[in-house]
Amino acid sequence: QDGPQRKKRKSEVGEVDKQLDILAIGTAVGSILLYSTVKGELQSKLDGGHDSRVNCVRWHQDTCCLYSCSDDKHIVEWNTQTCKVKCKWKGDNSSVTCLCISPDGKMLLSAGRTIKLWDLETKEVYRHFTGHATSVSSLMFTTVKPMNESKPFDGVTGLYFLSGAIHDRLLSVWQIRSDRKEKNAVMSFTVTDEPTFVDLTVSEVKEEPVKLAVVCRDGQLHLFEHILNGYCKKPLTSNCTIQIATPGNDGDSTPKPVPILAAAFCTDKQSLLLVYGNTLQPIIEKVSLDTSESHICLVRDIQKVLSLKTDAALTKVKTPVVNSDTKVLVPGIPGHSTAVKTPASGKEKKKNKRKPGETEESIEERLGALDIDVSKVKTPGGLPQTDSFAVLLVQGLESNDAEILNKVLNTRKENIVKNTVARMPIHAVIPLLHELTKRLQGNPYSASLMVRWLKSVFTVHASYLSTLPDLIPQLGMLYQLMESRVKTLQKLSRLHGRLFILVTQVAASQTVQEVPEVNQTAKLVYEDDSSSSEGSDDEMIADKDSDENWDEDEEKEEQSDEQDMTVEKEMNGDSDLEPENESEEE
């Protein structure tokens, strides 16, 4: 809808062939981009002309000049060869919203609320026009030659031009006259809503009518056909109104209107190009119309042509009106079906209130009534199933609920993490990565858990992520995190090694100091009773001496007896005994 104001336009006639493929785009910051449609790339950028948003851009028919207007009240003439400002002048006391160059290329129409006609050589105002109460959104010349051919033509006098404004349901037609006093519109066209797109066939001959196609905000197209021949007090209504609607067959009997976005006349000035449907994926169709009818409704089955794919996970759960043959899945527990009971028309609806004597049914009984196997629902440890984890994760990401996300992402079991990532829908992968990146910046405990999820996401969804064209800007923060962690890893490992050596040395020195000393004291001391008095000790010594003397006397006597016995045995010839036996006998 903002196309006519902000983005215009590929030139129709150019002196240089290269100029034909350049598209000039005004931006909100005040610069103008020159885009090559053949090369498919940005050719140059025009800076320094405007301080505020560019509202309109127009190519000159004959030269390489470009004209632009902005909210900063100025009009700028650009030299696109050098990409510099050729001339800049103040166009209005308020923002200038629209421009149009005259057919001969010597004059320029500009409009904020009032409309001014400028001489491009002197940059002075040639004519003033009243304009509109609101800012003008469209300006275009409707005739090339004046209707009165008797007077000499100076290139602009006698020509008609058309203007439309926002929130204004009247399109005004103005005539450039020789006298300066006439500043009001000569005629006007009335439409049903604010005009968003205007196209017309230029009248080249005196008797040729001007054909006008006006697309309104309400989605209708109005066609006008009128010979411009002077003043007309009453606003002119459209000759033909065109609407597009759906047939309304499939289940829904009411046809729905399809908005028309734009319309343009073809070169034969009879057939029209219609643009309708969705702004993201519009449908363009060439139609030949019989304008004798005042109202035409074209039936187009837009649903078959344009079907926007929506993921099932994004849609809200609704309870549809179903037949008895339909199989319904219970929400929350995939794979379990329940029989649908159609309510009887004659019976009254049951109230939820219990009677005082009744007891409430248990959960197990209710699940039994729903024909669900209770053993399948109950999971060991009371943990939810992996598919419900995937559903919870998607819900948490969409609603940004920290409680749900903490419950899911703090899971430690590897198989649950893998299954959840594998079962989650594709559209939730990028939001999950953003959430993991946010949590990786937190404390190390949560970061260690998030790394498991990251590993599973990159393992399972690597093929999907590689297809994204803007993956690097989307995951820029994650890349920076990983790079910073990897940079510090070498330093941390060195520090870890040094600290390990220090800690082991300190521990070893502590173990040496803590060795227990050997206890030198005797564990058992034996004391005799007789050692109590000194006198008894003397007696002991005397006894010992006498005992020793007595033992020595006995040994002498035994030795003399042995000698006598050996002499007798030698004499008797019994000296064959070994010394050992002798000692035994002794």
Side-chain angles (χ1 to χ4, degrees):
Q1 293 169 357
D2 293 337
Q5 289 89 35
R6 293 189 189 175
K7 300 178 184 177
K8 289 284 184 181
R9 177 175 271 177
K10 197 162 67 171
S11 64
E12 294 176 3
V13 182
E15 199 171 328
V16 189
D17 290 340
K18 292 180 182 178
Q19 200 66 29
L20 289 170
D21 71 318
I22 303 297
L23 188 71
I25 305 167
T27 64
V29 293
S31 58
I32 296 170
L33 309 176
L34 297 182
Y35 186 84
S36 172
T37 54
V38 173
K39 296 177 183 175
E41 61 183 21
L42 198 66
Q43 182 168 303
S44 53
K45 186 178 180 181
L46 308 180
D47 275 325
H50 296 292
D51 303 327
S52 188
R53 186 182 71 181
V54 178
N55 290 320
C56 187
V57 179
R58 287 282 184 272
W59 287 105
H60 197 279
Q61 295 98 312
D62 305 323
T63 64
C64 293
C65 288
L66 184 73
Y67 294 90
S68 63
C69 63
S70 167
D71 281 350
D72 62 3
K73 309 174 187 178
H74 285 80
I75 301 169
V76 175
E77 183 181 6
W78 299 89
N79 185 343
T80 53
Q81 300 295 325
T82 60
C83 296
K84 291 183 179 178
V85 176
K86 197 173 178 182
C87 185
K88 180 178 179 179
W89 70 97
K90 188 175 180 180
D92 208 326
N93 291 326
S94 58
S95 60
V96 186
T97 56
C98 207
L99 295 175
C100 182
I101 298 168
S102 64
D104 63 348
K106 293 179 181 177
M107 297 284 182
L108 175 73
L109 277 172
S110 75
R113 292 181 181 176
T114 60
I115 302 171
K116 295 178 182 179
L117 183 66
W118 300 84
D119 187 342
L120 285 178
E121 285 186 10
T122 61
K123 305 295 186 293
E124 291 179 355
V125 177
Y126 181 73
R127 290 284 185 276
H128 272 283
F129 299 94
T130 311
H132 296 260
T134 53
S135 51
V136 176
S137 59
S138 55
L139 272 178
M140 51 186 69
F141 277 90
T142 58
T143 53
V144 178
K145 294 178 182 178
M147 296 302 164
N148 190 358
E149 295 178 355
S150 59
K151 294 180 182 179
F153 181 50
D154 61 354
V156 72
T157 305
L159 295 187
Y160 290 89
F161 67 90
L162 180 86
S163 70
I166 59 171
H167 310 305
D168 193 346
R169 295 192 295 115
L170 285 177
L171 289 161
S172 302
V173 178
W174 315 78
Q175 188 180 18
I176 303 167
R177 299 187 181 184
S178 54
D179 56 334
R180 292 172 176 266
K181 293 181 181 178
E182 191 60 51
K183 295 182 180 180
N184 295 330
V186 292
M187 66 180 72
S188 58
F189 299 103
T190 178
V191 289
T192 54
D193 202 348
E194 176 192 335
T196 56
F197 195 91
V198 181
D199 191 54
L200 51 81
T201 62
V202 177
S203 173
E204 297 176 357
V205 191
K206 182 179 179 181
E207 298 299 324
E208 185 184 1
V210 172
K211 289 184 178 180
L212 184 66
V214 183
V215 178
C216 297
R217 195 173 287 282
D218 58 5
Q220 296 185 45
L221 168 64
H222 301 279
L223 295 178
F224 298 87
E225 193 170 340
H226 190 74
I227 297 171
L228 302 175
N229 53 3
Y231 187 76
C232 182
K233 190 175 182 180
K234 193 177 180 181
L236 300 169
T237 55
S238 61
N239 297 37
C240 179
T241 303
I242 299 166
Q243 286 179 293
I244 300 178
T246 57
N249 294 332
D250 304 329
D252 193 2
S253 58
T254 55
K256 293 179 180 176
V258 178
I260 300 173
L261 305 173
F265 286 101
C266 298
T267 50
D268 60 356
K269 297 187 180 181
Q270 298 297 324
S271 51
L272 273 170
L273 275 176
L274 294 181
V275 182
Y276 59 89
N278 194 302
T279 49
L280 296 174
Q281 196 176 348
I283 300 162
I284 302 174
E285 182 183 347
K286 185 177 181 180
V287 291
S288 298
L289 300 169
D290 180 18
T291 53
S292 59
E293 295 181 29
S294 62
H295 198 100
I296 299 172
C297 185
L298 303 174
V299 178
R300 298 286 182 270
D301 194 357
I302 196 169
Q303 299 298 331
K304 290 182 180 177
V305 182
L306 174 67
S307 57
L308 292 174
K309 295 178 181 177
T310 54
D311 206 315
L314 288 173
T315 57
K316 294 180 180 178
V317 178
K318 293 181 180 179
T319 309
V321 181
V322 291
N323 299 324
S324 56
D325 303 333
T326 313
K327 181 182 178 183
V328 178
L329 297 179
V330 180
I333 310 168
H336 298 294
S337 62
T338 175
V340 177
K341 298 177 182 178
T342 52
S345 58
K347 295 180 181 177
E348 294 180 358
K349 291 183 179 177
K350 280 189 177 181
K351 291 184 179 179
N352 290 332
K353 292 180 181 177
R354 298 196 313 271
K355 293 178 183 177
E358 284 184 345
T359 55
E360 190 179 359
E361 290 182 342
S362 67
I363 298 292
E364 192 167 350
E365 289 170 350
R366 289 182 189 179
L367 294 176
L370 287 173
D371 193 22
I372 298 171
D373 191 0
V374 185
S375 61
K376 290 181 182 177
V377 180
K378 292 179 181 177
T379 53
L383 284 170
Q385 297 172 329
T386 10
D387 46 9
S388 64
F389 254 120
V391 173
L392 275 176
L393 182 59
V394 174
Q395 287 176 354
L397 290 171
E398 286 176 358
S399 61
N400 205 8
D401 192 331
E403 190 176 344
I404 296 176
L405 289 172
N406 288 336
K407 183 179 179 183
V408 177
L409 295 177
N410 288 340
T411 311
R412 291 173 170 275
K413 295 187 178 179
E414 291 285 344
N415 57 344
I416 291 180
V417 172
K418 286 180 183 176
N419 292 336
T420 305
V421 171
R423 295 183 185 189
M424 66 184 290
I426 289 292
H427 66 83
V429 172
I430 294 296
L432 175 61
L433 285 175
H434 288 323
E435 182 64 30
L436 292 175
T437 307
K438 197 190 302 178
R439 288 166 177 259
L440 271 171
Q441 298 169 12
N443 59 343
Y445 172 74
S446 67
S448 63
L449 292 174
M450 296 311 114
V451 168
R452 298 181 185 179
W453 285 91
L454 268 180
K455 181 182 176 184
S456 297
V457 169
F458 287 137
T459 308
V460 176
H461 297 289
S463 56
Y464 164 68
L465 290 170
S466 61
T467 61
L468 296 176
D470 55 345
L471 182 65
I472 293 174
Q474 282 196 348
L475 300 183
M477 183 67 72
L478 184 60
Y479 288 145
Q480 289 175 8
L481 267 175
M482 292 165 77
E483 284 178 7
S484 61
R485 297 283 172 97
V486 169
K487 280 180 183 176
T488 55
L489 178 63
Q490 192 175 3
K491 296 178 182 177
L492 285 173
S493 56
R494 286 179 184 172
L495 180 63
H496 179 264
R498 292 174 181 175
L499 288 174
F500 181 73
I501 292 170
L502 284 172
V503 169
T504 48
Q505 285 180 348
V506 170
S509 63
Q510 284 180 352
T511 50
V512 170
Q513 289 174 4
E514 289 174 1
V515 173
E517 295 181 359
V518 181
N519 192 3
Q520 300 293 338
T521 56
K523 290 184 179 179
L524 181 65
V525 180
Y526 176 74
E527 293 183 356
D528 198 1
D529 294 337
S530 59
S531 63
S532 56
S533 61
E534 292 178 359
S536 58
D537 289 343
D538 297 335
E539 290 174 5
M540 282 286 293
I541 293 168
D543 292 334
K544 265 190 175 180
D545 293 337
S546 60
D547 287 338
E548 283 172 5
N549 295 334
W550 182 72
D551 289 333
E552 286 175 2
D553 295 336
E554 283 186 349
E555 283 173 5
K556 288 178 182 177
E557 287 175 6
E558 283 175 2
Q559 285 175 0
S560 60
D561 291 334
E562 283 171 6
Q563 288 175 358
D564 294 335
M565 285 180 71
T566 50
V567 172
E568 288 176 3
K569 283 179 181 176
E570 284 174 359
M571 291 175 66
N572 295 329
D574 295 334
S575 61
D576 54 345
L577 291 172
E578 291 178 4
E580 293 176 3
N581 294 334
E582 291 175 10
S583 62
E584 281 176 7
E585 285 176 359
E586 290 175 10

